[in-house]
Amino acid sequence: MKIAVLVKQVPSSESMLPLSSDQTWIDEGQVSFVMNPPDSFAIEEALLLREKIGEGEVVIVSMGPERVKKTIKEGLAKGADRGIHLEEEGKIETDPLSNSKSFSSVLKEENFDLILTGLQSDDTGMGQTGVLLGELLGMSTATLAMETEVQGDSIRVKRELESGWFQWVKLPLPASISIQSGLNTPRYPSLKGIMGAKRKEIKCVSSAEHRSGAQTQFMEKVFVPQTSKQTEVIEGDADTAVARIIEILKSDIKVL
Amino acid sequence: MDILVVLEDNRGTLHRMSKEAIAGAQQIGGSVSALAIGANADALATELFTLDLTEVITVNHELVSSYNADGYAEVVRQVIDSESPKTVIAGHSYQTRDFMPRVSAKLDIPFIPDIISIEGGYTKQVLNAKLNATVNTNVDQIILSFQSAAFSDESVVSGSCSARSFEVNLDPSLVRAESEEPFQESTGDVDLESAELIVSVGRGMEKEENVSLAFDLAKVLGAEVSASRPVVDSGWVEPFRQVGSSGHNVAPKLYFSLGISGAIQHVVGMKGSKNILAINKDPEAPIFEIADYAVVGDVLEIVPKLIEALQS
Ligand SMILES: Cc1cc2nc3c(=O)[nH]c(=O)nc-3n(C[C@H](O)[C@H](O)[C@H](O)COP(=O)(O)OP(=O)(O)OC[C@H]3O[C@@H](n4cnc5c(N)ncnc54)[C@H](O)[C@@H]3O)c2cc1C
């Protein structure tokens, strides 16, 4: 079983997010980056599948500038076997379709049985790359997997639907599947894993080699949301807050 | 045809977000048609006969009698190929996320997802809803999906239209996935969706034993208790109490939020509430942006005092 996990590096949820001077993205120089949290569930699922099957290879694939090597290494330290880095210089590409064409051109010859992704990225939140890539590579696809079971040359996936509904689907391999956050408990890299990761291969593919599709969608402007709602802010100690809450419940909302 | 709205079958009736998508399409303007797929296509079409649409295209073929990504992506591709809409629109539902990217890849047209507004460009939230971005394209044909409640289904323009059946050409080898019947994991006896008053707990309750504070408060107010997803995932409350994109959609008279940050996946499930009263110790918490009353403080300190005051 050969499994690729697509992993993205994104601004950490605690990072400051200053706008870039042209206001089409953030000023990445001032931002701290982490592995996209949903992707850590996809890595864990890949490692669990490899353990259950007893053989196989887990490959961490990431696109971005030099900094994403750190995220690839984190995946290797958790136990993945090797990495592939689709390099990008300059501005980060935010078009899922052209990015998927890049992934497709690099991953085609690898003939993966399974491609796993997180459900979406915390930065642009397009939530499409795994499905686009599956279609481009002629694979079957499923999203928001809550459970996976490999059965011979198929994989059974419990998909999360809306409002507490679920559905099992059985996909023939090769398949591309997005993993719902929370389905497993991502492991931390061990010290041995971290040491071992240094010797693992990371193949680099330059943007000139992987970029094929033209960009068809782009961020035009990024801005701080304006709230239209009139919000009454209640500050002060707990007693002040309690007194005002009771007044609101009584007189404003009239539920007491 | 200017716009094609791809409808979603929600177990026999039109998905709420499909109606919102029609409202959004009508606001964009031009000729709007809708596409209903599956065994319930005629029933869905009938629901739309009193709306201002050009027509409802129906597709009923045994390979797509119920939803599957392989079949739906191909049906939508064939309809787009034949009718050449400039814009294809759907609600940003889980189902749309599951198959619409495949349509995008098949036809090589961009899909801009999860749009919250069309004023001043297609706007979506980025970076955990801390910023908004307008996204544009340089091609003529696009696919859009609208986030829940981006448009109100009450603003749908009435009129009349009729249905037309569309013949698709599907090869049995097309549908590779075998789909089992959808099922519900756990149902409680709590009807959150019609509750008048809701006390909702988030990770800010800090510990499982503190959750009882919310139940005590709910009891004195006569409210139901709901929760954010992490609280459910940790097993602090039952799954049927979850509010948000993967839980219930609620619209009570009062949504009293305790220690919830206000992530978009939570907010889509409760932003229709008439009054939102939120307690959070972080003055920058996103929940305050949609709150009517923003109490900056510690829930663990305020709630016990509030219960005491309400009881006396
Ligand atoms: C596809 C998908 C579907 C999802 N579906 C859902 C869904 O249906 N429902 C849902 O809720 N989430 C959903 N999520 C998760 C969502 O993104 C958030 O992670 C989640 O809503 C956060 O829950 P929270 O606000 O309880 O926790 P946190 O984000 O951790 O927020 C805790 C808040 O409590 C505050 N706080 C901490 N201590 C105190 C204190 N003592 N007093 C006062 N305030 C305090 C903090 O300031 C913080 O704002 C989904 C995510 C994805 C990607």
Side-chain angles (χ1 to χ4, degrees), chain A residues 119-120 144 180-181, chain B residues 94 97 201-206 227-231 242-247 259-263 265-266 279-282 285 297-300:
Chain A
L119 78 140
Q120 65 184 46
L144 298 176
Q180 173 64 300
S181 298
Chain B
Y94 281 15
R97 298 164 62 126
V201 287
R203 197 140 60 178
M205 296 307 287
E206 294 179 12
S228 72
R229 180 171 186 138
V231 168
Q242 184 173 316
V243 164
S245 63
S246 44
I260 294 176
S261 60
Q265 294 86 0
H266 185 81
I279 307 182
N280 196 304
K281 67 179 178 190
D282 174 7
D298 186 340
V299 277
L300 302 176

Side-chain angles (χ1 to χ4, degrees), chain A residues 13 101 123-124 128 132 135 138 141 143 160 162 166-168 170 217-218 220-221 223 231-232 234, chain B residues 15 94 98 101-102 108 111 124 127 130 132 134 136-137 176 178 180 183 246 291-294 296:
Chain A
S13 61
K101 288 177 188 168
D123 56 357
T124 54
Q128 307 177 13
L132 287 167
E135 175 67 36
T141 61
T143 50
E160 179 174 319
E162 286 160 3
F166 298 88
Q167 179 180 39
W168 282 97
K170 188 174 172 185
Q217 69 168 276
F218 47 90
E220 202 167 49
K221 192 173 110 207
F223 56 98
T231 305
E232 176 187 333
I234 298 142
Chain B
H15 194 291
Y94 281 15
D98 196 59
R102 293 193 39 186
D108 200 25
F111 171 26
K124 82 183 292 298
L127 296 155
K130 290 191 192 117
N132 283 353
T134 52
N136 212 336
T137 91
R176 293 168 291 184
E178 291 167 37
E180 295 173 26
F183 61 97
S246 44
D292 301 276
Y293 305 96
V296 184

